[in-house]
Every structure is written in C-alpha cells, then in structure tokens.
Amino acid sequence: MKKKSINYKKYKFTYIKSTLFTLFICLLFLRGYTPFERTGENFFHVQVNGQDVGTIGEKERAEELLIQARRNVASASEELVFLRADLAVQGEEVLWGVVDSEEELLQNMEAVLKGSILGSMHRSYTLKVNEYIVNLASVDEVRELLQAAIDKYDSQGKFQVELLYDMDREFNVLTTQVVEAAQKQEEEVVSYAEGGVQDVLSAMGKNVETQGEKGFDDYALGILTMDFAEDVEIVECYMPESQLTLLSEAVERVTKEQETPGEYEVVAGDTLSEIAIKVDIPMDRLVEMNDSLEDINTTLQIGQKLVTTVPKPELSVTRTEEKYYEESYDADIVYIDNDNWFTYQTVVHQQPSAGYRRVVADVSYVNDKEVSSVILKEELVMEAVAKVVERGTKIPPTYIKPISGGRQTSGFGRRSRPTKGASTNHKGVDWATPTGTPVYASCGGTVAKAGWGSGYGYVVYINHIDGRQTRYGHLSKVLVSVGQSVKQGERIALSGNTGISSGPHLHFEMLINGSQVNPLPYLD
C-alpha cells in the first residue's frame, strides 16, 4: 500500500511537470498571443480619429501602419487628398492577450480614413501669358487651347503645338513649340538611309544644276512659319475644382480680341492723320479718346502722350506667309534738298504716276495685322513714275507770345464790330492787358516800321529771316526804331489804347507772303 502511494505521487508530479512544460511551449510559440514579460506595456489598443481599429503588440508598428493606410487611401485617387488622421494608442501590461493581424488593422484604419476625407485638390495646369493666367483641368486641355489659337490663322491644319520642358528653369515648367504636322526632316532621314550617301549627294548636285531663276509657278505659297508672339509658361499644380476654367471659356478669352489700353508718344514730324495710320485707329476716334485733342486740327506737341486702344487677343500668333498678288504701287518720293530754303518750303517738280506689278513676297503678320513684307520676285507690268520734290533743309525760326499773361478778347477772322470804326474781319489776335505792359519781339528780325499807323495807333512792324512779318498795334510807347535788329523776347514797346480801340490791349498780327494769317498755330 505504501509502495502504491509513492508511485502515485511520482506519476502525479511527472504529470504536473509535463502539463506545465506543455503550457509553456504553447504560450511561447502559439501565434496571436503576446508572451508575458515584465517589461512594461506590451498590449496596445489602437484608435484612429477616436474610433477603435484593433489591438497590436508594438506601439511603433501602429504608427507605421497608419502611414501605410494614408498612402493607400491617397493612391486610390489621382487627386491630392486631404484627410484627418489622428492616432491614439493606449498600452497595458498583460500576461497574455489576443492581438489583431496587421492586415485587419490596416483595413480598419483605411475604412476610418476614407470617412474622414476633408477634401481633394485636382491635378491641374496653370497657363500664363504675360499677365493673363488660366487654370485648366488637364494637359490635353492646355494643348487644345493653344491649338485653337493657332488654328484661327491656320485653316489647313498645317501646324501643331508641342509642349516641351523648359530646360532653363529650375522647376518643371512647360513651354511651347509650333511645328509643321508633317516633319520634312524625317523624310530626309529616311531618304538618306534608303539611298545612301552617294545617292543623296547626286540628287543635291542635280538640283544645283537644274536650279535657275524661279517662275511665279515655282513658289509653294502658303504659311511658312507660325509661333506665339508672347512667352507661354505651363506649370503643373493642384487646386480645387472651383478655380478651374472651362476649356470653352478659356478659348474664348485667349483667342478673342480684347480692348487693350495703349499709349503713343508724339515725335517730331507727326500729324494726327499719320498717327491714326500707325496705331490703326480713325482720327475722330483718337479725338474721342484723348481730352487733350479738341478736334482733328489740334496742334500736337513733341512728347505729348496720346491714349490708344488696340484690340488684340490675350495670346497673339505670328506667322509668315509666302503670297502672290498683283497691285498698283507708288515709287518712292525723290527729294532734292535745298540748303537755302526753310524746311516748310517745298516745290513739286514732277507729279507721280502709279505703276502695276506682279509680286511673290514673304509677308509677316501678328494676328491679322501685316507688320513686314519681303519681296521675293517682282515683275513690273507698268513702272511707276516717282514724285520729285525740292525741299528746304534750314530750320525755321520760332515765334512766341509777345506779352506775358493777358486775356484774349478777340480772335482771328469774322467778329462783331467792338467799337465804331473797327473792322468786322479781324486780321490778328487781341489780348486785353493794362496800359504799359511790356511787349516783346515774337521772333528775332529787323524793325520795318516804328511809329504811328492809321487805325492801329502806335505800331511796330518786324521783318523776319523766313520772310514773315509780325505787327504789334495800339501801343502806348515805341521802344525801337526802323532798321534796328532785335532778338526774340527783346522788349520793343509798351501796350496801350491808341488808335481805334475799345480798351487797353495788344493787337498782334502775322503776315506770310504779305497776307495776314491766324498767328496762334505758329506760337510756341
């Protein structure tokens, strides 16, 4: 009995040892269980945006899985996705605990993040031309927009727009190149490869031998080159859909002519009619646009700024066309310079006669406006006769207002009689001014008369080197004598109220070729 009891205890002890060993092995190797170690927190509950997504054994791994989940959600869309991703991990120390698989934890994180998307930014393209900017949804829309600008002037579809990376820019910026749809270079390369060097050289030699003067039928005619007049930049970016422009609206804006404010500075020799031709705006329209112009006869001053409005699209297109046309033409004017004449003196020795010619020319345009033309072949059907003009080269003297201040009371031409005996056809300009106001020579010259003149009272006449004469009337005192030379601005008299006069004033006349003219346009 005693022996049986001892064996029982022995077997029981062996059983307990085996059981404990088996449990230890299971705990050590069983997948899904965290072994118990007294090292602190070893079991973690994971939350994303306040929602439980599972448990994990390593806190750092939870952060890595969240990064992967964000990447997976973002990569599912071509747009730039903005989402909220707040991670909270709460740890504890356990003897054992069941953790979720990483695949399950990752899927739960993705589900929560998809419900937390704040918004998305569309991949788009910003096109910049000078100060004009437009945002489009795709690079294809950019290409269509630019092609529409080219097609406006290329009805045959001969040219197409290519987008190239601008190698001079640090960031990825696209620019444009307009090329012919059919690449001639490729045809030449194929011909070279098939025929060999000798065949190509022989063909070139034949072309040289047979090449002579071209006839009108030998020119290809049509558009030779096309390009954009402005620099075009395209940048890839991300932005909300609300900031994108519809392609149809962008095409309308870029290709339609807009009223663009401009400015023209008057230079020597300009007339309003010449300026109107230069800026392609009618004279009456220029007068309406500029407060400084009273009418089409307003005298222009050198340096004067005129407002012009030139209609042009946001993106301009340049092109060169080889064109055949027949036209009447005028020969260049032939000038004969005469150093003894003033610049306003001219004599026409031969009247012009228009000619007629056939022409092939390379004509350059900006949009629809012709800017230059180079004649390649010309055949004169009838030669033009040039206009021959003799002109003076001497700079004429200038004229200034003969008094300082004064109020104009009577202009040149018809008027009501101001006082008994006065003329109704006024041959000068009157300025009301107190008696004794200094009167100055409007231009340098020689005194022709100084004294009393019937109706004028005391007067001074001055002859000038350009053949003109100025007269100063109704003076109170004469300060010069006949034959005396005076300079421009030199005091010659004092104003008064002598002769037939309605009050103290200065009467001023200018005579050209012996006849009175309105002096105001001639005064600086």
Side-chain angles (χ1 to χ4, degrees):
M1 186 73 180
K2 183 178 180 181
K3 183 177 180 179
K4 181 179 180 181
S5 177
I6 292 173
N7 289 335
Y8 173 78
K9 289 181 179 180
K10 182 178 180 180
Y11 293 147
K12 184 177 181 180
F13 179 73
T14 302
Y15 174 76
I16 291 173
K17 285 175 59 180
S18 299
T19 302
L20 289 174
F21 180 77
T22 301
L23 288 173
F24 176 78
I25 295 299
C26 291
L27 290 173
L28 185 62
F29 296 102
L30 185 62
R31 185 176 182 181
Y33 286 86
T34 301
F36 177 72
E37 296 180 4
R38 291 188 178 277
T39 57
E41 297 177 345
N42 61 354
F43 188 79
F44 300 92
H45 299 274
V46 182
Q47 289 185 337
V48 175
N49 296 338
Q51 299 183 41
D52 292 326
V53 293
T55 57
I56 197 169
E58 298 179 18
K59 181 177 182 180
E60 294 77 10
R61 187 57 182 156
E63 296 174 352
E64 295 173 359
L65 288 174
L66 180 61
I67 292 174
Q68 182 62 45
R70 292 183 62 176
R71 186 180 295 115
N72 292 346
V73 171
S75 63
S77 172
E78 294 185 357
E79 315 303 339
L80 190 63
V81 178
F82 294 90
L83 47 80
R84 186 167 64 91
D86 298 328
L87 177 67
V89 181
Q90 184 177 0
E92 60 178 318
E93 186 179 21
V94 297
L95 179 61
W96 67 76
V98 179
V99 297
D100 297 312
S101 67
E102 290 190 356
E103 291 79 5
E104 182 180 0
L105 190 59
L106 184 63
Q107 291 176 1
N108 293 340
M109 286 181 171
E110 291 179 7
V112 173
L113 292 178
K114 288 178 181 177
S116 303
I117 293 177
L118 301 176
S120 62
M121 300 284 277
H122 292 263
R123 176 183 291 178
S124 55
Y125 292 82
T126 296
L127 182 146
K128 182 176 183 294
V129 181
N130 295 329
E131 302 303 319
Y132 176 70
I133 295 177
V134 62
N135 303 314
L136 297 172
S138 69
V139 70
D140 290 333
E141 288 194 359
V142 171
R143 191 177 286 106
E144 287 184 48
L145 171 63
L146 296 172
Q147 191 66 46
I150 290 294
D151 291 345
K152 182 178 179 182
Y153 306 99
D154 179 21
S155 58
Q156 297 180 345
K158 184 178 178 181
F159 291 84
Q160 63 184 21
V161 177
E162 290 185 352
L163 301 182
L164 307 171
Y165 281 104
D166 188 345
M167 305 307 295
D168 296 330
R169 303 296 292 272
E170 183 177 353
F171 299 100
N172 288 340
V173 176
L174 294 171
T175 186
T176 60
Q177 182 180 18
V178 182
V179 298
E180 286 192 56
Q183 294 289 342
K184 294 183 179 179
Q185 263 189 332
E186 294 180 1
E187 297 175 359
E188 292 172 358
V189 170
V190 172
S191 175
Y192 180 91
E194 293 178 351
V197 177
Q198 188 61 43
D199 290 345
V200 173
L201 292 176
S202 298
M204 291 173 60
K206 290 179 180 178
N207 289 337
V208 171
E209 291 174 3
T210 59
Q211 186 176 13
E213 184 180 354
K214 281 186 175 182
F216 285 101
D217 295 334
D218 296 327
Y219 289 89
L221 306 183
I223 301 176
L224 302 178
T225 62
M226 296 193 77
D227 205 349
F228 296 115
E230 295 87 7
D231 291 333
V232 180
E233 295 181 350
I234 303 105
V235 180
E236 183 181 356
C237 57
Y238 288 88
M239 60 182 57
E241 188 173 359
S242 60
Q243 294 185 15
L244 299 179
T245 302
L246 292 176
L247 178 59
S248 58
E249 295 178 8
V251 170
E252 173 79 6
R253 176 70 179 177
V254 168
T255 60
K256 184 178 179 181
E257 291 188 342
Q258 312 291 330
E259 293 290 332
T260 306
E263 188 177 72
Y264 180 87
E265 183 173 344
V266 177
V267 299
D270 268 344
T271 64
L272 193 59
S273 60
E274 292 172 336
I275 294 173
I277 294 172
K278 289 180 182 178
V279 301
D280 198 20
I281 299 175
M283 284 195 294
D284 54 353
R285 176 69 178 132
L286 281 175
V287 172
E288 291 177 10
M289 294 163 54
N290 290 272
D291 294 336
S292 61
L293 301 177
E294 295 182 3
D295 53 45
I296 61 174
N297 297 315
T298 302
T299 302
L300 301 177
Q301 303 295 327
I302 296 176
Q304 182 177 350
K305 303 289 182 63
L306 298 180
V307 175
T308 62
T309 300
V310 182
K312 57 179 292 191
E314 296 289 355
L315 179 58
S316 295
V317 175
T318 63
R319 70 185 189 280
T320 301
E321 289 190 41
E322 195 169 81
K323 301 183 70 175
Y324 168 82
Y325 55 90
E326 299 179 9
E327 66 172 2
S328 298
Y329 75 99
D330 295 318
D332 294 335
I333 299 175
V334 176
Y335 289 103
I336 302 172
D337 292 335
N338 188 326
D339 296 336
N340 296 319
W341 291 2
F342 291 102
T343 54
Y344 58 80
Q345 293 176 290
T346 61
V347 172
V348 177
H349 294 293
Q350 178 174 280
Q351 293 294 341
S353 176
Y356 193 79
R357 61 185 176 183
R358 302 170 64 202
V359 175
V360 172
D362 283 347
V363 185
S364 298
Y365 297 88
V366 175
N367 301 323
D368 285 322
K369 185 177 181 180
E370 181 180 330
V371 293
S372 66
S373 179
V374 178
I375 294 177
L376 304 178
K377 183 176 179 60
E378 178 183 32
E379 180 182 281
L380 298 180
V381 179
M382 178 168 37
E383 190 171 359
V385 176
K387 182 178 183 179
V388 179
V389 179
E390 186 174 4
R391 63 183 179 182
T393 60
K394 289 173 59 177
I395 303 300
T398 60
Y399 292 82
I400 62 174
K401 185 179 177 181
I403 62 169
S404 178
R407 176 176 57 88
Q408 183 177 327
T409 55
S410 185
F412 182 85
R414 302 296 298 177
R415 68 172 181 178
S416 299
R417 195 186 307 273
T419 186
K420 185 177 180 181
S423 172
T424 57
N425 184 19
H426 197 225
K427 296 181 179 180
V429 175
D430 290 347
W431 288 285
T433 186
T435 298
T437 299
V439 177
Y440 306 100
S442 179
C443 177
T446 303
V447 178
K449 183 174 182 177
W452 188 263
S454 177
Y456 287 95
Y458 287 110
V459 296
V460 172
Y461 295 177
I462 301 177
N463 292 333
H464 307 285
I465 59 172
D466 58 359
R468 298 172 183 175
Q469 185 182 81
T470 51
R471 296 179 177 181
Y472 313 78
H474 306 298
L475 308 172
S476 63
K477 187 175 183 179
V478 174
L479 303 178
V480 293
S481 57
V482 174
Q484 180 179 340
S485 294
V486 294
K487 297 179 181 179
Q488 184 182 62
E490 183 177 342
R491 193 168 65 161
I492 58 173
L494 301 178
S495 66
N497 190 28
T498 58
I500 301 175
S501 173
S502 58
H505 72 284
L506 172 67
H507 173 85
F508 177 68
E509 293 182 7
M510 178 179 288
L511 288 80
I512 298 178
N513 297 325
S515 299
Q516 283 90 348
V517 298
N518 184 0
L520 294 182
Y522 300 92
L523 301 182
D524 284 345

